[in-house]
């Protein structure tokens, strides 16, 4: 980043830091009993549902990865990468649907869920995250696979596509524009700049964790149930409890936020423009009512990524695979059948 962009980055971070710290203080004073995170010693029933898949672990170089698999291991591998603030459970609808024809595997990325959580910001470098994906596929005994990713998983996926596209049969990315496209709009488009406030805010220490966990992780219901087209969300109270239980464990929130801290303070945010011109077919799915990414980032992404199809999910929010699973599954099916 340029000196000007660096100044802007920290100015925005501290601006929102002051505002949110004031709101948190007011909330604590007014409702101190509701402010803290409730202790959850047992997982909710939905996380113990054996129909969702079988749990396992892979020991990679430098990190232990938790995963859930569903489907016949002899079938083609479909690997899922979640975003923030998610974990393997965010792919429950897709694993149920596609395990009929694929060996579906959803991992907890390093720092998330039941995967190992290395300390320190440097352990969340994008190159390490990409290498985790490569090693995961190899540890599962495959050389080729279909990659499905969302949000931060999408950022990892774009880098994987650029570096290891020879391992891909096809790839599907949701609500995550190509990194260069996002960087181009984050500092030049007023709407995207405003939508990206949290990316800057998350570089601050301690306060982002406090804000997200405040009032017993009220943030989960807010972000997952954002709807403009209808009032009912398929994300149930039990689903929300699954996220609260997972992220409410000691030390579970800082590593995911460290993804942002490293990205916004490293050269990974300054990569030179790289056009992806490969033979591997790609699909970019976007929720119509994504509150964090502007729709203009889709055609901008297509300027840099060749052979990329796009689909917009009507009425879908940013967490489109959970918010509108039937539409997402239909688009994926149509794409895979070509």
């Amino acid at each position: 980043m340029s000196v000007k962009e660096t100044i802007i980055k920290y100015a925005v971070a501290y601006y929102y830091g002051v505002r949110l710290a004031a709101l948190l203080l007011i909330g604590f004073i007014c409702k101190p009993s509701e402010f803290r995170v409730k202790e959850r010693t047992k997982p909710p029933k939905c996380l113990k549902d054996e129909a969702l898949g079988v749990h396992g672990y892979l020991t990679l170089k430098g990190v232990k990865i938790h995963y859930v698999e569903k489907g016949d291991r002899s079938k083609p591998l479909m690997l899922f990468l979640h975003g923030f603030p998610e974990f393997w459970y965010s792919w429950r609808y897709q694993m149920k649907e596609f395990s009929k024809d694929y060996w579906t595997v959803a991992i907890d990325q390093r720092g998330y869920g039941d995967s190992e959580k290395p300390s320190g910001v440097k352990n969340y470098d994008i190159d390490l995250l990409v290498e985790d994906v490569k090693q995961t596929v190899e540890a599962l005994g495959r050389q080729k696979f279909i990659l499905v990713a969302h949000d931060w998983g999408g950022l990892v996926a774009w880098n994987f596509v650029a570096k290891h596209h020879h391992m891909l049969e096809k790839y599907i990315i949701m609500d995550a524009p190509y990194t260069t496209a996002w960087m181009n709009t984050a500092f030049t488009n007023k709407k995207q700049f405003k939508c990206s406030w949290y990316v800057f805010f998350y570089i601050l220490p301690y306060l982002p964790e406090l804000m997200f966990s405040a009032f017993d992780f009220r943030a989960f219901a807010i972000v997952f149930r954002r709807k403009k087209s209808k009032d009912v969300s398929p994300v149930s109270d039990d689903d929300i409890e699954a996220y609260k239980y997972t992220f409410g464990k000691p030390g579970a929130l800082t590593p995911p936020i460290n993804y942002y801290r490293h990205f916004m303070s490293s050269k990974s945010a300054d990569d030179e423009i790289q056009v992806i011109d490969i033979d591997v077919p790609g699909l970019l799915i976007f929720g119509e009512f994504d509150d964090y990414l502007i729709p203009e980032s889709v055609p901008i992404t297509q300027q840099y990524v060749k052979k990329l199809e796009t689909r917009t999910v009507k009425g879908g929010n940013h967490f489109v695979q959970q918010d509108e699973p039937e539409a997402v599954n239909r688009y994926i099916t149509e794409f895979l059948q070509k």
Side-chain angles (χ1 to χ4, degrees), residues 47-322:
L47 286 183
K48 295 185 290 184
D49 185 356
E50 295 181 356
L52 292 177
V54 178
H55 295 251
Y57 291 88
L58 296 170
T59 301
L60 309 182
K61 183 179 179 181
V63 68
K64 188 176 183 181
I65 295 295
H66 168 255
Y67 68 92
V68 176
E69 64 171 300
K70 184 176 176 63
D72 188 340
R73 284 193 168 206
S74 67
K75 293 182 177 180
L77 172 63
M78 180 181 288
L79 183 72
F80 296 90
L81 301 181
H82 63 79
F84 175 89
E86 301 172 291
F87 63 116
W88 70 266
Y89 185 72
S90 65
W91 297 110
R92 57 197 179 279
Y93 295 110
Q94 287 67 47
M95 294 182 72
K96 179 180 180 180
E97 174 67 22
F98 295 104
S99 59
K100 305 168 189 174
D101 301 306
Y102 298 89
W103 178 28
T104 59
V105 177
I107 69 170
D108 286 336
Q109 294 201 76
R110 66 163 62 201
Y112 279 87
D114 290 327
S115 286
E116 194 172 354
K117 301 171 177 59
S119 61
V121 173
K122 67 179 181 179
N123 283 305
Y124 298 93
D125 181 87
I126 190 67
D127 289 338
L128 293 176
L129 303 176
V130 170
E131 183 63 19
D132 286 347
V133 177
K134 181 175 182 292
Q135 288 189 41
T136 293
V137 174
E138 292 171 345
L140 292 172
R142 298 300 176 89
Q143 295 299 320
K144 288 276 191 176
F145 71 108
I146 295 169
L147 178 59
V148 185
H150 172 257
D151 185 72
W152 244 104
L155 192 152
V156 175
W158 283 123
N159 282 267
F160 189 93
V161 170
K163 295 180 179 180
H164 303 295
H165 55 84
H166 63 280
M167 297 180 67
L168 295 171
E169 297 285 356
K170 291 185 176 182
Y171 66 93
I172 300 130
I173 296 176
M174 304 175 199
D175 294 272
Y178 184 42
T179 312
T180 301
W182 182 84
M183 291 300 298
N184 283 355
T185 56
F187 287 97
T188 60
N189 185 291
K190 291 182 179 179
K191 185 177 180 181
Q192 182 59 68
F193 184 81
K194 185 177 181 180
C195 290
S196 302
W197 69 270
Y198 65 98
V199 178
F200 301 99
F201 170 66
Y202 282 167
I203 67 176
L204 299 178
Y206 307 117
L207 191 56
E209 286 91 333
L210 181 60
M211 182 208 72
F212 204 92
S213 60
F215 297 100
D216 194 32
F217 286 106
R218 183 185 295 174
F220 281 120
I222 294 174
V223 299
F224 287 151
R225 290 173 171 168
R226 294 181 83 90
K227 298 294 293 185
K228 294 182 180 179
S229 61
K230 58 185 179 183
D231 297 327
V232 179
S233 170
V235 180
S236 68
D237 289 343
D238 285 343
D239 294 332
I240 297 295
E241 275 299 307
Y243 285 93
K244 289 183 177 182
Y245 169 78
T246 300
F247 284 88
K249 296 178 181 179
L253 194 52
T254 293
I257 294 177
N258 279 345
Y259 277 55
Y260 291 95
R261 289 174 176 139
H262 188 277
F263 177 75
M264 292 300 289
S265 63
S266 69
K267 291 183 179 180
S268 60
D270 290 325
D271 287 343
E272 294 181 1
I273 295 174
Q274 181 180 11
V275 174
I276 298 179
D277 188 2
I278 58 177
D279 292 330
V280 180
L283 173 65
L284 177 61
I285 297 176
F286 237 69
E288 180 185 15
F289 296 133
D290 192 317
D291 288 310
Y292 309 104
L293 300 163
I294 60 174
E296 289 85 350
S297 61
V298 175
I300 294 176
T301 293
Q302 288 182 296
Q303 293 176 16
Y304 297 110
V305 184
K306 311 303 179 183
K307 300 180 180 65
L308 180 68
E309 298 182 26
T310 64
R311 296 289 185 275
T312 299
V313 178
K314 298 296 183 182
N317 66 21
H318 178 73
F319 300 92
V320 69
Q321 82 276 34
Q322 301 183 78

